[in-house]
Amino acid sequence: MTDTVPADSAPPASEDPSTTPTGWRALLPDLSPWRASPDFRRLWLAGLITNFGSFLTFVALPVQLKELTGSAAAVGAIGAVELVPMVVFGLYGGALADAWDKRKLIVWTEAGQGVLCAALLANALMPSPAVWPLYVIAAFTSALGAVQRPALDSLIPRIVAHEHLPAAASLNSLRWQVGGVAGPALAGVVVAYAGLGWAYAVDLVTFAVSVALGIGLAASPASNEARKPSWAAIAEGARYAWSRKELLGTYAVDIAAMFLAMPLAVLPFLADELDAEWSLGLMYAAIPAGSLLVSVSSGWTSRVHRHGRLVVLAAAGWGLAIAAAGIAGNVWLVLLCFVLAGAFDMVSGIFRGAMWNQTIPDELRGRLAGIELLSYSVGPQLGQVRAGGTAALAGVRASVWSGGLLCAGAVGLLALCLPTMMTYDVRTNEHAVRLREKRAAAASE
């Protein structure tokens, strides 16, 4: 998009025409954050490694539950047991991220998740693995991840220049998608030919490596304006979020998209129904693959200014693509629809992240990151329950296509109810301008 900039609103430094790539190079990812910030490079590599392993477990856990129970509802229940710890610890984790050293919080929670992965491995190696530890470990893993994620998200604006934040969001998404494509694809092979234990074992090794990388990060203590972690501090963050209707829109759109149209819980059963059990790993990898295609061609995102519009349009596209996957009868067409859905989801995610990182003040960043965690994590967890329950009542295919259509309708309704999200422009939004000026003044001191 090339909207006209008002005369009294200067574009961010990254939009200087003399430094903007042209031609095919304009599609390549912007590597400015990677070049400028050693801590960003270290954090990016640690995330890539641990995400690769975590996606192995992401596939292995529902497969193990399917083998032990044979129930779609039992697989979907994983989302239910993860939900409460995610809500509670996500909100409190945001307050901790504002009040504690972010590096320490990241390292200790990463180590704790490694211990839980070791417990999964021990259970899988038993002659008769038990079902209940899978739910208990999933709940504790959810709690630690919820505490860690706000610290990770709120650290990025500290280690990356303001004008490079959209590029950092794209690169972080690229990291996630590389793991999301390679991890599930490899997991399908590992689980089928080597066994569940090997998937958990590889994940355990990746946690050890990422902890070692995290230790090398520079300290990131609380800001002078930060409040001690408390429910009152959490309430302050919630009030700020409520006052920002464009932010509320991004949260609501993402929750609707993930709750109504996330099909992951029923993929093992969809593969069976299509007589293509071999395709399960590819199904899990297809959505991240679509996201990866957007990430590696994300140079265009720095030239888009009306981020809210892209969030809405892409979320609606996600829902329609999921609906098409539920209707399609050919496994390759289903995979193509999932790839397209992943591409739309990535576009929505990039611009949600840009709106958050470029407008929220540092002293509230952790608490708002906790709320963001709920928006993009609670939806998928509840979505697993919805998908599994609907599949048990109406069938697997109906669970997928109905959720996609409901998603598209809900996103359209939210866009009508929250017009400020559709009119958001990063060049003129008062919060974006204020934060940009504050960081520029700090850099000049």
Side-chain angles (χ1 to χ4, degrees):
M1 298 183 182
T2 55
D3 303 300
T4 303
V5 183
D8 60 346
S9 178
S14 60
E15 297 176 19
D16 183 350
S18 65
T19 62
T20 302
T22 58
W24 65 270
R25 293 183 181 275
L27 295 176
L28 296 178
D30 183 354
L31 299 180
S32 300
W34 178 277
R35 298 191 192 99
S37 173
D39 271 351
F40 180 79
R41 290 196 297 272
R42 184 176 290 273
L43 199 64
W44 193 93
L45 288 172
L48 175 65
I49 293 167
T50 193
N51 288 338
F52 173 79
S54 295
F55 273 110
L56 290 174
T57 296
F58 181 75
V59 173
L61 187 59
V63 169
Q64 187 174 19
L65 273 172
K66 174 178 176 287
E67 291 179 353
L68 294 174
T69 68
S71 167
V75 176
I78 284 287
V81 302
E82 292 175 339
L83 179 59
V84 172
M86 183 173 294
V87 171
V88 174
F89 288 94
L91 289 173
Y92 202 73
L96 290 175
D98 281 337
W100 289 6
D101 187 297
K102 294 175 175 56
R103 182 195 62 174
K104 292 180 179 179
L105 201 56
I106 291 167
V107 171
W108 282 109
T109 51
E110 190 79 354
Q113 290 179 84
V115 171
L116 293 171
C117 183
L120 282 175
L121 174 59
N123 183 62
L125 295 178
M126 293 176 62
S128 299
V131 172
W132 67 265
L134 302 182
Y135 292 108
V136 172
I137 294 169
F140 278 101
T141 300
S142 176
L144 286 175
V147 171
Q148 182 190 72
R149 190 58 187 265
L152 284 168
D153 288 349
S154 59
L155 180 60
I156 296 299
R158 285 192 172 188
I159 63 177
V160 173
H162 184 82
E163 65 272 17
H164 294 160
L165 286 172
S170 297
L171 290 174
N172 278 335
S173 298
L174 175 62
R175 175 199 71 194
W176 276 91
Q177 306 318 324
V178 168
V181 172
L186 180 61
V189 176
V190 170
V191 171
Y193 294 102
L196 293 162
W198 278 101
Y200 295 138
V202 173
D203 191 12
L204 180 57
V205 172
T206 63
F207 274 119
V209 175
S210 63
V211 166
L213 287 168
I215 291 173
L217 292 170
S220 183
S223 65
N224 294 330
E225 298 87 357
R227 294 183 59 179
K228 292 182 179 181
S230 65
W231 293 111
I234 293 171
E236 180 186 11
R239 286 193 297 271
Y240 176 83
W242 182 258
S243 71
R244 298 278 310 281
K245 302 308 181 191
E246 69 276 23
L247 290 185
L248 284 182
T250 65
Y251 302 150
V253 164
D254 194 37
I255 290 173
M258 296 296 101
F259 169 62
L260 295 170
M262 177 58 77
L264 298 183
V266 299
L267 292 188
F269 301 92
L270 181 60
D272 288 347
E273 192 164 305
L274 293 170
D275 293 322
E277 292 83 356
W278 54 267
S279 69
L280 178 59
L282 294 177
M283 285 187 181
Y284 278 113
I287 291 176
S291 299
L292 178 61
L293 291 176
V294 172
S295 294
V296 299
S297 59
S298 60
W300 59 273
T301 60
S302 63
R303 298 185 295 281
V304 176
H305 312 295
R306 298 186 183 275
H307 298 163
R309 292 184 183 180
L310 267 293
V311 170
V312 168
L313 294 174
W318 152 268
L320 294 175
I322 293 296
I327 295 170
N330 179 276
V331 65
W332 293 107
L333 187 56
V334 170
L335 291 171
L336 179 61
C337 290
F338 283 152
V339 170
L340 184 61
F344 281 122
D345 185 46
M346 184 73 267
V347 172
S348 178
I350 287 174
F351 292 111
R352 287 197 313 271
M355 290 175 69
W356 298 338
N357 289 333
Q358 290 185 312
T359 65
I360 298 172
D362 182 71
E363 63 272 15
L364 288 166
R365 194 67 194 85
R367 280 165 284 175
L368 270 292
I371 296 174
E372 292 157 18
L373 172 69
L374 300 186
S375 79
Y376 57 68
S377 298
V378 169
Q381 305 312 317
L382 288 175
Q384 290 188 66
V385 179
R386 183 215 64 83
T390 305
L393 293 174
V396 173
R397 303 286 290 280
S399 173
V400 177
W401 66 255
S402 64
L405 292 180
L406 287 171
C407 165
V411 168
L413 183 60
L414 286 168
L416 291 175
C417 295
L418 295 166
T420 55
M421 181 171 56
M422 298 296 288
T423 59
Y424 174 89
D425 189 321
V426 68
R427 299 166 298 180
T428 57
N429 177 268
E430 59 176 313
H431 304 283
V433 171
R434 184 182 304 120
L435 189 57
R436 187 160 59 239
E437 291 175 348
K438 182 177 180 180
R439 293 196 66 178
S444 63
E445 291 179 356

